[in-house]
Amino acid sequence: MEREGARGKEDTETLNLVLQQAAWCLGGLGALVHQWIPAAGRLRLLSVSGLAPASAEAWADLRVDQHVAPVRAVRGGEFCWMAGDSLGVGAAGTAAVPLLGVGGPMGVLSVLTAGAEEPGEVQRSFLRALAGWAAERLGGGSDIPLGPDPVAAADRPVRMGELTAALAEAVTSQDVAEAFAKHVLAPFGADGLMFTVLEGGRVRVVAAIGYPQEFLEAVRDIPASLSAPVLDTVRTRVPRFVESGAEFLQRYPTMRGLRELAPKEAWAFLPLMASGRVLGMCAVSFGHPRSFGDGERTLLTALGGLVGQSLERARLYDVEHARAQELQRGLLPKVLPRLPAAIAAARYLPAGRGEDVGGDWYDVIPLSADRVALVIGDVMGHGITEAATMGGLRTAVRTLADLEMPPDELFSHLNDLVGDLGEDCCATCLYAVFDPVARRCTYALAGHPPLVVVHPDGTVHVPDVSPDPPLGAAEPPFDAHHLDLPDESLLVLCTDGLVESASRDIDQGLLQLRRTVARAAAHTAYFDPAHQDGDVRRLEDLCDIVVSALLPDPGRTNDDAGLLMVHARCTAAGDVAYRTLPEDPRAAGQARAYVREHLGAWGLEDLVPATELLVSELVGNVVRHASGPIRLRLIRSHSLTCEVYDGSLTTPRIRRAAHTDEDGRGLQLVAALSQRWGARYLDDGKCIWTEQDIPHADASGVPGPVHAPSGV
């Protein structure tokens, strides 16, 4: 067992590798290698892994008459399993397999297990393979027949160690397949790999490499009864080695059509075992006929067991990850609204392979008077919890936005909500309200990348403002920032995953975003004034350009990335009419006359009767119950908006009037005559607004040319 009285460095590395793989295979507490000394009738401990010194000491010197698994394995010359804690070191069982040399046992490889379950056949095969490799490296020969193996024996432990390490890092099923292909296919001369599982009586391909798409389409989700190799391997739990195409057709004549789609000439069909059950089958295929030696068969069988455990773990991750992504996709808007003041396109890119889902989200929310709320945010962390938190915050933002809160006040409420979720919860957010009549964007920034603005002339502007801390870590009040926008501006909102990475900081990423957007906008007309569909298509193209430039390889990113691009359209001056009214009973009559004049000029005579009733009721309520000044504003867009302003903060409420009441039905009338109505509060009062659908509007939502009345 020893070379020239001492084990060299290579022997030590071999023993360490064998011990690590043996313990990993059985999920053991530790592993040991003993040298057999026939003259003394004893087993001497050579190397140990995973055991404390005191526990290892109990196994240091074993007599030939001791009733322990290593001794029985050497005496019997075969695998031995003994349940129980033989030497009181906390093990539930011991598995041992002899290291066989030319003259008999050279030593023994043992694994102390944490569970009392006897190792399965695949695990036994793997231990025997490890013992054979160790005996061959350490003793120069082995009685385990290896046959005409094209895989160099000296490379086996190294290759197995690399595969074990790669499988330990594999997260998804595709990761497992790629690790197997990298470390196994080339050394064996194979050119195809396929993992299949049985689910509900059908065969499902989990991962495949080296097969044409036509073949994969043909075998995807077929009944198990039509896949003889899978049924044969899974039912018997025994690997099948087919050395030629003729032998394959002789065994499986019903598979002729599938073989023609993937003309392989030799196969190793290996059962994928995990936790004592068969998951499915691993098919290793070759483009030429070949024979399989005993050593190769043992090695491939062991590899099937090794991969089975990794694949089971990866499939659990795949299912969980798919559910989390489905949850996240369900919480994001499926379609962004097309509004008169804002046309938007967005992209969400989950983190690269092997990462959990994150908490990035975006939204476009229509408000009254053609105003629109734009929001993008990022819940810190990854996982289902963060995705669910994102959904809760998105719902909260929509609810608060419907209350017409300004951005800074909305953030105060949202900050309390995030704070209630726990100290570890934190989120960044940008919330903006674009007013197309005032041509102004008001926004708040909580720990988030800044807003990027592209002017119609192609210049790119990033407002220099200091963001507040992230939500959950901030102390209100929040700052509100104001930005005057020219018509046809482009607003770009993103999360940090788009502009920040391991290879660049956020400032570098923002600079690249500015340059990319400027270059793309200069070469792309990102709006089509005559057609919204063309506008959306151009924004979609811009999104693709930005994502391709900033994330050329999304599969390697370690954070989610969100992008929202909005084409902002201001309201034409001729589509807005404004009038101050006196604070007395004459106000209602003047409001009706003003409505008749402007709706007639706008060609909306059909809306005159209903609108007269609406403004008469709203203005009358101000005169009776509120205070001035009283102002009336009409906005023509996809709908007709009628707004009445006053100086009171009293909330209007619909009452249930009795049959004998002489009043109390005014807001019921308002609700019946309008498509939507509501109130928003200002620093100096409130605004009651109503919306009515405009008949005969064109596809863009705008009802024909504007004819502004004189004096407006």
Side-chain angles (χ1 to χ4, degrees), residues 598-606 636 695 703 705 707:
H598 278 76
L599 295 193
W602 284 343
L604 302 178
E605 291 85 354
D606 291 345
R636 187 188 77 146
H707 302 287

Side-chain angles (χ1 to χ4, degrees), residues 181-355:
K182 177 180 179 181
H183 297 286
V184 176
L185 293 194
F188 279 89
D191 59 7
L193 171 68
M194 184 166 59
F195 293 151
T196 57
V197 297
L198 288 178
E199 292 181 349
R202 305 187 74 83
V203 175
R204 188 169 74 84
V205 177
V206 176
I209 294 173
Y211 282 90
Q213 189 62 33
E214 295 82 3
F215 176 84
L216 297 178
E217 292 291 339
V219 301
R220 180 171 288 124
D221 203 34
I222 65 174
S225 58
L226 299 180
S227 181
V230 176
L231 279 182
D232 196 10
T233 305
V234 170
R235 183 180 64 252
T236 63
R237 300 190 176 195
V238 175
R240 294 287 187 269
F241 297 92
V242 181
E243 299 183 341
S244 68
E247 181 185 350
F248 179 88
L249 292 178
Q250 183 180 0
R251 287 194 185 191
Y252 310 115
T254 61
M255 306 295 292
R256 180 181 297 273
L258 285 177
R259 180 177 176 268
E260 291 176 353
L261 294 176
K264 305 295 184 179
E265 293 296 334
W267 298 261
F269 298 117
L270 312 171
L272 294 173
M273 305 285 295
S275 304
R277 62 188 183 90
V278 183
L279 298 178
M281 182 191 75
C282 168
V284 180
S285 57
F286 303 81
H288 52 82
R290 60 147 22 237
S291 59
F292 296 91
D294 291 340
E296 286 185 307
R297 294 180 182 230
T298 299
L299 177 56
L300 287 170
T301 301
L303 289 173
L306 190 66
V307 171
Q309 299 177 60
S310 298
L311 187 63
E312 182 182 42
R313 183 187 69 246
R315 290 186 67 226
L316 291 175
Y317 171 84
D318 289 341
V319 170
E320 195 71 13
H321 191 65
R323 289 174 179 170
Q325 288 188 318
E326 183 178 352
L327 168 66
Q328 189 169 44
R329 284 192 297 267
L331 294 173
L332 290 172
K334 294 179 174 59
V335 178
L336 294 175
R338 300 185 182 185
L339 305 173
I343 305 298
R347 291 290 183 273
Y348 166 72
L349 291 90
R353 188 178 68 240
E355 295 289 337

Side-chain angles (χ1 to χ4, degrees), residues 303 383 389 445 530 654:
L303 289 173
T389 300
L445 203 59
I654 294 180

Side-chain angles (χ1 to χ4, degrees), residues 383-398:
I384 291 182
T385 300
E386 285 72 16
T389 300
M390 173 271 287
L393 293 183
R394 177 174 175 250
T395 300
V397 169
R398 292 191 71 91

Side-chain angles (χ1 to χ4, degrees), residues 20-85:
Q20 292 168 9
Q21 293 175 9
W24 186 90
C25 173
L26 271 64
L29 301 174
L32 315 98
V33 170
H34 285 85
Q35 178 187 9
W36 171 236
I37 306 176
R42 309 184 79 85
L43 285 172
R44 181 167 63 88
L45 184 63
L46 283 182
S47 188
V48 62
S49 173
L51 294 183
S55 298
E57 184 63 29
W59 293 88
D61 190 32
L62 302 178
R63 302 184 311 276
V64 74
D65 59 348
Q66 282 185 265
H67 188 62
V68 291
V71 172
R72 293 182 59 183
V74 168
R75 289 166 56 185
E78 60 184 7
F79 174 87
C80 176
W81 161 257
M82 291 184 63
D85 190 5

Side-chain angles (χ1 to χ4, degrees), residues 521-532:
H523 293 86
T524 305
Y526 61 82
F527 67 93
D528 180 356
H531 204 275
Q532 281 191 346

